[in-house]
Amino acid sequence: MICIVPRRDLLLALTQARRVSNLVRLEAQGSSLMVQARSSDLCLTTQVTATVETPGSVVADCKDLHGICRAWPMHAFVRLETTEERIRVTAGEASPASAELCAGDVDRLAPVLDADSWGLVGHCAEGCLSEILRVAAVACRDATRAAICFVLLEARQETLESETTLRATTTDGTRLAYAQTLVSENTVQGSWLISPLAASLLDVLGAHAVSLSVAREKGQEEGREGPIPSTLLRATTSTATLTMRVSAGTDFPDSSQVVPPESTPKRASIDREALRAAASACAIFSAGTVNKTTVMEAFEGGLRLRTNREGEGEHMEDPVAADLHDWPESLRLGVNAKMLAELLTITRGDRVTLCFADTLSPIRWALDDAGGVALIMPVRLGDSE
Protein backbone atom coordinates (compact mmCIF):
# COMPACT_ATOMS: atom_id res chain seq x y z
CA MET A 1 0.00 0.00 0.00
CA ILE A 2 1.31 3.44 -0.95
CA CYS A 3 -0.73 6.62 -0.47
CA ILE A 4 -0.35 10.33 0.33
CA VAL A 5 -2.85 11.89 2.75
CA PRO A 6 -3.33 15.33 4.36
CA ARG A 7 -1.59 15.13 7.74
CA ARG A 8 -4.26 17.11 9.58
CA ASP A 9 -7.15 14.97 8.26
CA LEU A 10 -5.35 11.75 9.16
CA LEU A 11 -4.52 13.11 12.63
CA LEU A 12 -8.17 14.00 13.29
CA ALA A 13 -9.31 10.52 12.21
CA LEU A 14 -6.71 8.83 14.42
CA THR A 15 -7.62 11.05 17.39
CA GLN A 16 -11.14 9.63 17.43
CA ALA A 17 -10.07 6.11 16.42
CA ARG A 18 -7.71 5.69 19.38
CA ARG A 19 -10.67 6.23 21.73
CA VAL A 20 -12.18 3.03 20.34
CA SER A 21 -9.17 0.71 20.01
CA ASN A 22 -5.38 0.55 20.21
CA LEU A 23 -5.29 -0.95 16.71
CA VAL A 24 -6.49 0.73 13.54
CA ARG A 25 -7.05 -0.76 10.08
CA LEU A 26 -5.93 1.38 7.14
CA GLU A 27 -7.17 0.60 3.64
CA ALA A 28 -6.21 2.69 0.59
CA GLN A 29 -8.51 2.35 -2.37
CA GLY A 30 -9.79 4.66 -5.09
CA SER A 31 -9.25 8.22 -3.89
CA SER A 32 -9.51 7.73 -0.13
CA LEU A 33 -7.89 6.09 2.88
CA MET A 34 -10.23 4.25 5.22
CA VAL A 35 -9.34 4.53 8.91
CA GLN A 36 -11.25 1.96 10.95
CA ALA A 37 -11.12 1.19 14.68
CA ARG A 38 -13.14 -1.65 16.20
CA SER A 39 -13.96 -2.89 19.68
CA SER A 40 -16.53 -5.39 20.92
CA ASP A 41 -19.22 -2.68 21.10
CA LEU A 42 -18.07 0.05 18.70
CA CYS A 43 -16.88 0.38 15.12
CA LEU A 44 -15.74 3.78 13.84
CA THR A 45 -14.90 4.17 10.15
CA THR A 46 -13.60 7.43 8.70
CA GLN A 47 -12.82 8.18 5.05
CA VAL A 48 -9.87 10.51 4.45
CA THR A 49 -9.19 11.96 0.99
CA ALA A 50 -5.92 10.54 -0.35
CA THR A 51 -3.79 10.10 -3.45
CA VAL A 52 -3.51 6.33 -3.79
CA GLU A 53 -0.52 5.04 -5.75
CA THR A 54 -0.83 1.39 -4.75
CA PRO A 55 -4.05 0.07 -3.17
CA GLY A 56 -3.79 -2.13 -0.11
CA SER A 57 -4.50 -2.44 3.60
CA VAL A 58 -2.56 -2.75 6.82
CA VAL A 59 -3.13 -2.83 10.61
CA ALA A 60 -1.20 -0.28 12.67
CA ASP A 61 -0.78 0.74 16.29
CA CYS A 62 -3.11 3.73 16.52
CA LYS A 63 -1.24 5.46 19.35
CA ASP A 64 2.15 5.21 17.60
CA LEU A 65 0.85 6.43 14.24
CA HIS A 66 -1.02 9.26 15.94
CA GLY A 67 2.16 10.31 17.76
CA ILE A 68 4.16 10.38 14.52
CA CYS A 69 1.60 12.55 12.72
CA ARG A 70 1.30 14.86 15.70
CA ALA A 71 5.08 15.36 15.85
CA TRP A 72 5.22 16.88 12.34
CA PRO A 73 2.98 19.99 12.47
CA MET A 74 5.07 21.74 9.83
CA HIS A 75 4.17 19.26 7.08
CA ALA A 76 0.87 19.33 5.17
CA PHE A 77 1.01 15.76 3.81
CA VAL A 78 2.34 12.38 4.91
CA ARG A 79 3.18 9.39 2.76
CA LEU A 80 2.32 5.90 3.96
CA GLU A 81 4.18 2.97 2.44
CA THR A 82 3.82 -0.58 3.70
CA THR A 83 5.57 -3.88 3.31
CA GLU A 84 4.53 -7.18 4.85
CA GLU A 85 5.82 -6.31 8.32
CA ARG A 86 6.66 -2.58 8.36
CA ILE A 87 4.91 0.75 7.82
CA ARG A 88 7.08 3.65 6.67
CA VAL A 89 5.74 7.17 7.26
CA THR A 90 7.47 10.11 5.55
CA ALA A 91 6.73 13.83 5.23
CA GLY A 92 8.35 16.69 3.35
CA GLU A 93 10.48 16.77 0.21
CA ALA A 94 13.49 19.06 0.70
CA SER A 95 14.44 17.62 4.08
CA PRO A 96 11.99 14.77 4.62
CA ALA A 97 11.14 13.40 8.04
CA SER A 98 10.55 9.68 8.33
CA ALA A 99 9.58 7.05 10.86
CA GLU A 100 8.80 3.34 10.82
CA LEU A 101 6.54 1.14 12.91
CA CYS A 102 5.61 -2.51 12.90
CA ALA A 103 2.48 -3.64 11.12
CA GLY A 104 -0.17 -5.10 13.42
CA ASP A 105 -1.81 -8.49 13.40
CA VAL A 106 -5.15 -8.61 11.58
CA ASP A 107 -6.31 -11.43 13.85
CA ARG A 108 -6.19 -9.09 16.85
CA LEU A 109 -8.90 -6.84 15.40
CA ALA A 110 -12.39 -7.14 16.85
CA PRO A 111 -15.10 -8.45 14.48
CA VAL A 112 -16.95 -5.94 12.32
CA LEU A 113 -20.37 -4.96 13.67
CA ASP A 114 -22.76 -5.51 10.79
CA ALA A 115 -26.37 -6.27 9.96
CA ASP A 116 -28.30 -7.55 6.97
CA SER A 117 -31.06 -4.94 6.92
CA TRP A 118 -31.17 -1.46 8.44
CA GLY A 119 -34.27 0.53 9.36
CA LEU A 120 -34.04 4.32 9.08
CA VAL A 121 -34.54 6.18 12.35
CA GLY A 122 -34.22 9.49 10.53
CA HIS A 123 -32.01 12.24 9.16
CA CYS A 124 -30.76 14.99 11.51
CA ALA A 125 -29.83 18.38 10.10
CA GLU A 126 -26.29 19.68 10.49
CA GLY A 127 -25.42 20.33 14.14
CA CYS A 128 -28.81 19.27 15.55
CA LEU A 129 -27.70 15.92 16.99
CA SER A 130 -24.62 17.49 18.57
CA GLU A 131 -26.80 20.22 20.08
CA ILE A 132 -29.21 17.89 21.88
CA LEU A 133 -26.35 15.73 23.18
CA ARG A 134 -24.60 18.83 24.50
CA VAL A 135 -27.70 19.96 26.41
CA ALA A 136 -28.36 16.45 27.73
CA ALA A 137 -24.76 16.31 29.02
CA VAL A 138 -25.77 18.80 31.73
CA ALA A 139 -26.86 15.83 33.83
CA CYS A 140 -23.67 13.77 33.56
CA ARG A 141 -20.89 16.16 34.53
CA ASP A 142 -19.91 14.31 37.71
CA ALA A 143 -16.70 12.37 36.96
CA THR A 144 -17.41 9.91 39.78
CA ARG A 145 -20.66 8.89 38.06
CA ALA A 146 -19.50 8.97 34.44
CA ALA A 147 -19.66 5.18 34.06
CA ILE A 148 -23.41 5.09 34.78
CA CYS A 149 -24.38 8.12 32.70
CA PHE A 150 -25.79 6.32 29.68
CA VAL A 151 -27.73 8.38 27.14
CA LEU A 152 -31.28 7.45 26.20
CA LEU A 153 -32.12 8.17 22.55
CA GLU A 154 -35.83 8.08 21.73
CA ALA A 155 -37.40 8.40 18.30
CA ARG A 156 -41.11 8.92 18.65
CA GLN A 157 -44.16 10.42 16.99
CA GLU A 158 -46.84 11.75 19.35
CA THR A 159 -49.65 11.55 16.79
CA LEU A 160 -50.05 10.32 13.23
CA GLU A 161 -50.02 13.91 11.96
CA SER A 162 -47.09 15.13 14.06
CA GLU A 163 -43.43 15.07 13.03
CA THR A 164 -40.99 12.56 14.50
CA THR A 165 -38.68 13.85 17.22
CA LEU A 166 -35.37 12.48 18.46
CA ARG A 167 -34.84 13.08 22.19
CA ALA A 168 -31.62 12.61 24.18
CA THR A 169 -31.98 12.13 27.95
CA THR A 170 -29.37 11.61 30.68
CA THR A 171 -29.43 11.37 34.47
CA ASP A 172 -26.84 10.77 37.18
CA GLY A 173 -29.38 10.21 39.95
CA THR A 174 -29.23 13.81 41.14
CA ARG A 175 -29.84 15.65 37.88
CA LEU A 176 -31.80 14.90 34.74
CA ALA A 177 -31.68 16.71 31.38
CA TYR A 178 -33.15 16.22 27.94
CA ALA A 179 -33.37 17.99 24.59
CA GLN A 180 -34.92 17.06 21.28
CA THR A 181 -34.78 17.77 17.56
CA LEU A 182 -36.86 16.89 14.52
CA VAL A 183 -35.84 14.07 12.19
CA SER A 184 -37.00 13.45 8.63
CA GLU A 185 -37.94 10.28 6.71
CA ASN A 186 -38.46 8.25 9.89
CA THR A 187 -39.44 4.59 9.43
CA VAL A 188 -38.41 3.05 12.78
CA GLN A 189 -39.35 4.30 16.25
CA GLY A 190 -38.00 3.12 19.58
CA SER A 191 -35.64 3.91 22.43
CA TRP A 192 -32.01 2.90 22.86
CA LEU A 193 -29.38 3.26 25.60
CA ILE A 194 -25.91 4.20 24.39
CA SER A 195 -22.71 4.22 26.42
CA PRO A 196 -20.93 7.45 27.47
CA LEU A 197 -18.08 6.78 25.02
CA ALA A 198 -20.48 6.12 22.15
CA ALA A 199 -22.38 9.31 23.03
CA SER A 200 -19.13 11.29 23.00
CA LEU A 201 -18.19 9.95 19.55
CA LEU A 202 -21.74 10.56 18.33
CA ASP A 203 -21.45 14.15 19.53
CA VAL A 204 -18.42 14.64 17.26
CA LEU A 205 -20.27 13.22 14.24
CA GLY A 206 -23.37 15.23 15.16
CA ALA A 207 -21.72 18.48 14.13
CA HIS A 208 -22.53 17.36 10.57
CA ALA A 209 -25.73 16.14 8.95
CA VAL A 210 -26.31 12.61 10.31
CA SER A 211 -28.46 9.65 9.28
CA LEU A 212 -29.41 7.22 12.06
CA SER A 213 -30.34 3.58 11.37
CA VAL A 214 -31.06 0.59 13.59
CA ALA A 215 -30.86 -3.16 12.95
CA ARG A 216 -30.51 -6.55 14.56
CA GLU A 217 -26.92 -7.75 14.52
CA LYS A 218 -26.05 -10.18 11.76
CA GLY A 219 -26.19 -13.80 12.86
CA GLN A 220 -28.49 -13.22 15.87
CA GLU A 221 -31.92 -14.75 15.80
CA GLU A 222 -35.09 -12.80 16.45
CA GLY A 223 -36.07 -12.95 20.12
CA ARG A 224 -32.66 -14.12 21.32
CA GLU A 225 -31.95 -13.31 24.97
CA GLY A 226 -28.42 -12.97 26.30
CA PRO A 227 -25.93 -10.79 28.15
CA ILE A 228 -24.76 -9.03 24.96
CA PRO A 229 -27.30 -6.69 23.31
CA SER A 230 -28.15 -7.76 19.78
CA THR A 231 -29.30 -4.35 18.52
CA LEU A 232 -27.02 -2.07 16.48
CA LEU A 233 -27.40 1.67 16.02
CA ARG A 234 -25.52 3.30 13.15
CA ALA A 235 -24.77 6.98 12.60
CA THR A 236 -23.57 7.98 9.12
CA THR A 237 -22.17 11.28 7.83
CA SER A 238 -20.57 12.12 4.50
CA THR A 239 -17.13 10.98 5.74
CA ALA A 240 -17.66 8.74 8.79
CA THR A 241 -19.76 5.88 10.11
CA LEU A 242 -20.18 4.93 13.77
CA THR A 243 -21.79 1.58 14.58
CA MET A 244 -22.55 0.74 18.22
CA ARG A 245 -24.17 -2.02 20.18
CA VAL A 246 -27.06 -0.61 22.19
CA SER A 247 -29.49 -1.80 24.83
CA ALA A 248 -33.24 -1.34 24.79
CA GLY A 249 -34.22 1.89 26.51
CA THR A 250 -37.26 0.40 28.25
CA ASP A 251 -35.42 0.15 31.60
CA PHE A 252 -34.54 3.86 31.69
CA PRO A 253 -36.50 5.92 34.26
CA ASP A 254 -39.61 7.58 32.85
CA SER A 255 -38.74 11.27 33.10
CA SER A 256 -42.33 12.35 32.49
CA GLN A 257 -43.22 11.11 35.96
CA VAL A 258 -40.87 13.51 37.76
CA VAL A 259 -40.54 16.60 35.54
CA PRO A 260 -42.91 19.38 36.66
CA PRO A 261 -45.19 20.63 33.86
CA GLU A 262 -44.65 24.06 32.31
CA SER A 263 -47.87 25.24 33.98
CA THR A 264 -46.36 24.89 37.49
CA PRO A 265 -47.28 28.19 39.20
CA LYS A 266 -44.07 29.08 41.04
CA ARG A 267 -41.68 30.32 38.37
CA ALA A 268 -38.97 32.83 37.49
CA SER A 269 -37.41 33.99 34.22
CA ILE A 270 -33.78 35.05 34.69
CA ASP A 271 -30.85 36.33 32.65
CA ARG A 272 -28.64 33.27 32.18
CA GLU A 273 -25.22 34.93 32.30
CA ALA A 274 -25.99 37.01 35.42
CA LEU A 275 -27.28 33.97 37.28
CA ARG A 276 -24.30 31.88 36.14
CA ALA A 277 -21.86 34.45 37.52
CA ALA A 278 -23.68 34.54 40.87
CA ALA A 279 -23.85 30.74 41.12
CA SER A 280 -20.15 30.39 40.22
CA ALA A 281 -19.16 32.87 42.93
CA CYS A 282 -21.22 31.00 45.54
CA ALA A 283 -19.76 27.67 44.40
CA ILE A 284 -16.21 28.99 44.84
CA PHE A 285 -17.00 30.43 48.27
CA SER A 286 -18.50 27.16 49.54
CA ALA A 287 -15.82 24.90 47.99
CA GLY A 288 -14.12 22.65 50.52
CA THR A 289 -16.93 22.86 53.07
CA VAL A 290 -19.31 20.12 54.14
CA ASN A 291 -22.38 22.30 53.67
CA LYS A 292 -22.49 23.38 50.02
CA THR A 293 -26.07 24.65 50.12
CA THR A 294 -26.86 27.96 48.47
CA VAL A 295 -30.11 29.72 49.25
CA MET A 296 -32.08 31.28 46.38
CA GLU A 297 -34.62 33.86 47.55
CA ALA A 298 -36.64 36.83 46.32
CA PHE A 299 -35.02 40.17 47.09
CA GLU A 300 -35.80 43.68 45.82
CA GLY A 301 -37.80 42.44 42.83
CA GLY A 302 -35.13 39.93 41.75
CA LEU A 303 -33.42 36.75 42.95
CA ARG A 304 -30.50 36.72 45.38
CA LEU A 305 -28.09 33.86 46.06
CA ARG A 306 -26.39 33.53 49.41
CA THR A 307 -24.25 30.83 51.00
CA ASN A 308 -22.33 30.21 54.23
CA ARG A 309 -18.78 29.07 54.82
CA GLU A 310 -17.98 27.64 58.21
CA GLY A 311 -15.81 30.06 60.18
CA GLU A 312 -15.99 32.80 57.54
CA GLY A 313 -19.60 33.90 57.76
CA GLU A 314 -22.08 34.51 54.99
CA HIS A 315 -21.53 35.42 51.33
CA MET A 316 -24.29 37.21 49.39
CA GLU A 317 -24.37 38.03 45.69
CA ASP A 318 -26.09 41.11 44.32
CA PRO A 319 -29.70 40.44 43.30
CA VAL A 320 -30.21 39.18 39.74
CA ALA A 321 -33.06 40.80 37.80
CA ALA A 322 -35.86 38.28 37.35
CA ASP A 323 -39.54 38.09 36.40
CA LEU A 324 -41.11 36.32 39.39
CA HIS A 325 -44.52 34.68 39.51
CA ASP A 326 -46.14 33.34 42.70
CA TRP A 327 -42.83 33.62 44.57
CA PRO A 328 -43.36 35.26 47.99
CA GLU A 329 -40.41 36.94 49.74
CA SER A 330 -40.61 34.39 52.54
CA LEU A 331 -39.92 31.50 50.14
CA ARG A 332 -36.34 30.17 50.24
CA LEU A 333 -35.10 27.54 47.79
CA GLY A 334 -31.98 25.49 48.52
CA VAL A 335 -29.74 24.62 45.54
CA ASN A 336 -26.28 23.22 44.87
CA ALA A 337 -24.43 26.21 43.39
CA LYS A 338 -21.83 24.05 41.61
CA MET A 339 -24.49 22.04 39.77
CA LEU A 340 -26.38 25.21 38.91
CA ALA A 341 -23.23 26.89 37.55
CA GLU A 342 -22.45 23.83 35.39
CA LEU A 343 -25.98 23.86 33.98
CA LEU A 344 -25.81 27.56 33.09
CA THR A 345 -22.29 27.24 31.64
CA ILE A 346 -23.15 24.46 29.17
CA THR A 347 -26.35 26.08 27.88
CA ARG A 348 -26.22 29.02 25.47
CA GLY A 349 -29.58 30.80 25.59
CA ASP A 350 -29.94 34.36 26.88
CA ARG A 351 -32.52 33.44 29.51
CA VAL A 352 -33.58 30.45 31.58
CA THR A 353 -36.91 29.77 33.23
CA LEU A 354 -37.26 27.76 36.42
CA CYS A 355 -40.46 26.41 37.94
CA PHE A 356 -41.29 24.13 40.88
CA ALA A 357 -44.27 22.99 42.92
CA ASP A 358 -42.70 23.44 46.36
CA THR A 359 -39.28 23.72 48.02
CA LEU A 360 -38.82 19.92 48.16
CA SER A 361 -39.97 19.12 44.62
CA PRO A 362 -37.67 18.90 41.57
CA ILE A 363 -36.76 22.24 40.00
CA ARG A 364 -37.45 22.38 36.27
CA TRP A 365 -35.12 24.59 34.22
CA ALA A 366 -36.40 25.40 30.73
CA LEU A 367 -33.47 26.23 28.43
CA ASP A 368 -33.66 28.34 25.29
CA ASP A 369 -31.51 26.01 23.17
CA ALA A 370 -32.79 22.79 21.53
CA GLY A 371 -35.97 22.87 23.60
CA GLY A 372 -33.85 21.61 26.47
CA VAL A 373 -35.13 20.87 29.97
CA ALA A 374 -32.95 20.22 33.02
CA LEU A 375 -34.06 18.92 36.38
CA ILE A 376 -32.13 19.53 39.61
CA MET A 377 -33.24 18.30 43.01
CA PRO A 378 -33.43 21.05 45.65
CA VAL A 379 -31.53 20.91 48.94
CA ARG A 380 -33.51 20.73 52.15
CA LEU A 381 -32.87 23.85 54.23
CA GLY A 382 -32.51 23.94 58.00
CA ASP A 383 -34.34 26.42 60.21
CA SER A 384 -31.19 28.55 60.55
CA GLU A 385 -30.54 28.91 56.82
Side-chain angles (χ1 to χ4, degrees):
M1 179 189 82
I2 302 176
C3 66
I4 300 173
V5 296
R7 185 197 64 85
R8 183 177 179 274
D9 293 348
L10 179 58
L11 183 61
L12 291 174
L14 292 172
T15 299
Q16 301 305 323
R18 64 183 296 191
R19 302 173 64 188
V20 177
S21 173
N22 292 328
L23 293 178
V24 63
R25 181 171 180 264
L26 307 174
E27 182 175 346
Q29 190 172 8
S31 60
S32 65
L33 174 70
M34 182 191 74
V35 181
Q36 186 180 74
R38 308 196 298 245
S39 68
S40 58
D41 298 317
L42 293 168
C43 179
L44 177 62
T45 304
T46 306
Q47 300 290 340
V48 179
T49 302
T51 301
V52 179
E53 298 179 7
T54 305
S57 63
V58 69
V59 176
D61 185 291
C62 190
K63 181 180 178 181
D64 290 346
L65 185 56
H66 178 274
I68 292 171
C69 293
R70 188 178 180 183
W72 297 338
M74 71 293 295
H75 298 295
F77 295 89
V78 294
R79 176 186 173 91
L80 302 177
E81 184 175 356
T82 65
T83 61
E84 292 184 359
E85 299 181 351
R86 307 291 291 178
I87 305 172
R88 183 176 177 83
V89 187
T90 57
E93 296 180 358
S95 55
S98 65
E100 287 192 2
L101 60 156
C102 295
D105 187 357
V106 177
D107 295 334
R108 293 179 57 195
L109 290 174
V112 177
L113 299 177
D114 199 7
D116 293 319
S117 178
W118 294 87
L120 183 63
V121 175
H123 302 295
C124 299
E126 181 177 344
C128 290
L129 181 57
S130 180
E131 181 75 359
I132 66 172
L133 289 172
R134 179 185 60 80
V135 175
V138 167
C140 56
R141 299 278 292 175
D142 190 346
T144 62
R145 298 175 180 232
I148 67 170
C149 292
F150 279 64
V151 178
L152 175 69
L153 282 182
E154 297 175 279
R156 58 186 181 184
Q157 188 178 20
E158 300 295 342
T159 64
L160 291 177
E161 294 77 19
S162 63
E163 296 181 277
T164 303
T165 60
L166 181 70
R167 172 182 287 192
T169 308
T170 61
T171 180
D172 61 4
T174 304
R175 294 168 285 187
L176 182 144
Y178 65 81
Q180 60 188 29
T181 185
L182 295 176
V183 295
S184 59
E185 300 183 28
N186 168 264
T187 59
V188 177
Q189 298 181 33
S191 58
W192 309 276
L193 277 176
I194 63 177
S195 68
L197 175 57
S200 177
L201 293 169
L202 194 58
D203 186 11
V204 176
L205 268 63
H208 309 277
V210 180
S211 296
L212 292 174
S213 305
V214 66
R216 181 167 295 277
E217 189 173 0
K218 183 182 292 186
Q220 297 207 356
E221 300 79 10
E222 184 74 27
R224 169 183 170 179
E225 298 292 339
I228 300 178
S230 58
T231 302
L232 299 180
L233 185 65
R234 184 177 67 185
T236 305
T237 70
S238 58
T239 59
T241 299
L242 174 65
T243 305
M244 57 204 116
R245 274 202 180 100
V246 294
S247 303
T250 53
D251 295 332
F252 197 86
D254 185 0
S255 59
S256 63
Q257 301 297 317
V258 295
V259 178
E262 295 184 29
S263 58
T264 303
K266 291 182 174 59
R267 62 178 58 247
S269 178
I270 317 162
D271 180 85
R272 181 191 66 83
E273 179 56 30
L275 185 60
R276 184 206 62 77
S280 298
C282 289
I284 293 172
F285 184 78
S286 61
T289 63
V290 176
N291 182 11
K292 299 182 183 297
T293 303
T294 294
V295 178
M296 184 182 294
E297 58 189 358
F299 185 80
E300 297 181 352
L303 281 181
R304 181 177 68 180
L305 273 63
R306 61 181 175 86
T307 189
N308 289 298
R309 184 180 178 93
E310 187 176 352
E312 297 186 24
E314 189 175 54
H315 172 80
M316 289 185 291
E317 285 292 307
D318 293 334
V320 178
D323 298 326
L324 304 180
H325 183 268
D326 194 21
W327 191 315
E329 290 192 4
S330 59
L331 190 150
R332 295 170 302 136
L333 189 62
V335 296
N336 183 307
K338 181 175 181 291
M339 290 186 178
L340 179 57
E342 288 177 349
L343 161 67
L344 299 172
T345 299
I346 293 178
T347 56
R348 297 173 180 168
D350 293 332
R351 299 187 70 81
V352 292
T353 301
L354 69 93
C355 62
F356 56 97
D358 55 65
T359 56
L360 297 180
S361 298
I363 307 169
R364 172 192 173 119
W365 296 83
L367 313 174
D368 284 351
D369 37 4
V373 171
L375 199 70
I376 299 179
M377 291 299 297
V379 181
R380 184 186 293 270
L381 297 175
D383 296 334
S384 60
E385 293 179 290

